[in-house]
Amino acid sequence: MKLNLNYDNIKKSYLFVEIANRLKAYTADNPGADIIKLGIGDVTRPLAPCVVEAGMKAVAEMGDAKTFRGYSPDSKGYDFLRNAISAYYKSNGVIVDADEIHVSDGAKSDCGNITDLFDSDNTVLIPDPVYPVYMDSNIMNGRNIILSECHEENGFKPAPDKKVKCDIIYLCSPNNPTGAAFTRAELKEWIDYANSMNAIILFDAAYEAFVTSEDVPRSIFEVEGARRCAVEFCSFSKTAGFTGTRCGYTVVPKELLDGKFAAMWERRQSTKFNGTSYIQQRMAEAAYSKEGIKQCRENINVYKENAKIISDALTSLGIYHTGGKDSPYIWLKCGGDSWEFFDKLLTKANVVGTPGSGFGKCGEGFFRLTAFNTPSKTAEAVSRIKKVL
Ligand code: MLT
């Protein structure tokens, strides 16, 4: 028996596990501490009423012999949900056929699992800082990784370097962790770059619902050329508050490798995944109904207002930051060691955030706050942070 020793090359624990452990140790020593969590990107607002109603109806169906359902007909998801997702794209001006949509338990799993489809002898281009899943899952596979560095100078938005050759490109916009979002023109550069060398773009659009800027696309498929080179990962987690419910989907356009990639993904999923539960799929369908979109938007608007509170406070203090506009994340310059800043905020303000260095070496000196707490706790956290900065 030989272990996959590539696991020795990733950090001992996942970033948010490390944060949870530090928090646990602190609260054990300080049991009365009134902690405000702006760390992990986890939602706090309840599910939209029409989503709850659809879930209860689906549970009742499962408890009745006449309407009970076992395994779903295929791992791609029920037609009712794939049609609702296709209609959601259409309402945003993008044509995606229902049969190009593969429903799953979330974007995180798909972003990691998609690596099964690639030979280990591929070069992967990953921005730094980055959502740790892309990096860790490729290190686990022993792939060659090139970093595309992001700094204050490029506004934490990487641009393609035509001299660099690669096969697989990860992009996330609006970005986790920096909150920066590509404009149409910036995304077009990446698409042209990928198409010029037959590379694939793995595009994480988990935060698309936060986009309000006119020139920022919510889907890579809004941009010409993307259907030949891109796969898009989407999630109901942040859009509809499904972090504890789990449902996402991946779009693989027919044009990508003349359908071979979609067939391989379907084959992979049908072998290793038995589909998302009927109940979750009914809830997701409700989230993309007319009423569901309206109700979910009310929650997103609360988070967007929180983001503005944080961003405005940092602006008034003259602190450089990105995000907070088309994104629930605010990425601020803390200077110095990110973990030291984490400890300072935790111990002096009882506020938890995420150290930028946890997202890559270019994240050192930066810190991420999320807008997912309640408005009152966000305002309280901001006033505490102001006092210790
Ligand atoms: C984060 O805080 O970065 C999120 O938890 C990402 C995720 O949804 O996995």
Side-chain angles (χ1 to χ4, degrees), residues 14 16 39-42 108 131 176 207 238 329 359 368:
Y14 188 62
F16 296 104
I40 189 163
D42 196 4
K108 181 177 182 173
Y131 180 39
N176 179 12
Y207 300 93
K238 317 293 154 73
Y329 295 127
F359 298 100
R368 193 192 77 174

Side-chain angles (χ1 to χ4, degrees), residues 38-191:
L38 305 183
I40 189 163
D42 196 4
V43 293
T44 52
R45 295 191 65 75
L47 295 169
C50 71
V51 169
V52 174
E53 199 183 308
M56 296 208 301
K57 190 163 162 260
V59 171
E61 282 179 57
M62 296 298 265
D64 183 335
K66 289 194 287 303
T67 46
F68 172 80
R69 302 189 187 225
Y71 291 125
S72 56
D74 64 51
S75 64
K76 275 179 91 171
Y78 282 99
D79 286 350
F80 64 75
L81 178 54
R82 290 191 289 121
N83 287 332
I85 295 167
S86 175
Y88 178 74
Y89 269 103
K90 200 167 176 199
S91 70
N92 294 327
V94 177
I95 300 300
V96 166
D97 282 352
D99 64 358
E100 295 177 311
I101 295 161
H102 305 247
V103 174
S104 70
D105 66 347
K108 181 177 182 173
S109 330
D110 286 0
C111 286
N113 292 335
I114 202 101
T115 56
D116 277 8
L117 269 52
F118 301 107
D119 193 290
S120 53
D121 185 24
N122 273 300
T123 297
V124 192
L125 186 81
I126 303 185
D128 177 358
V130 76
Y131 180 39
V133 176
Y134 320 148
M135 191 69 126
D136 289 358
S137 45
N138 279 287
I139 295 175
M140 287 169 183
N141 289 340
R143 287 205 182 85
N144 179 32
I145 296 172
I146 307 175
L147 297 176
S148 175
E149 295 195 349
C150 305
H151 303 283
E152 200 174 332
E153 294 68 39
N154 58 11
F156 283 94
K157 287 199 272 185
D161 177 349
K162 295 197 177 76
K163 295 188 293 300
V164 173
K165 298 285 169 235
C166 63
D167 307 296
I168 302 167
I169 301 162
Y170 279 87
L171 295 177
C172 174
S173 178
N175 188 265
N176 179 12
T178 69
F182 287 124
T183 62
R184 254 175 213 89
E186 288 162 345
L187 209 44
K188 178 80 174 105
E189 275 188 57
W190 278 106
I191 291 166

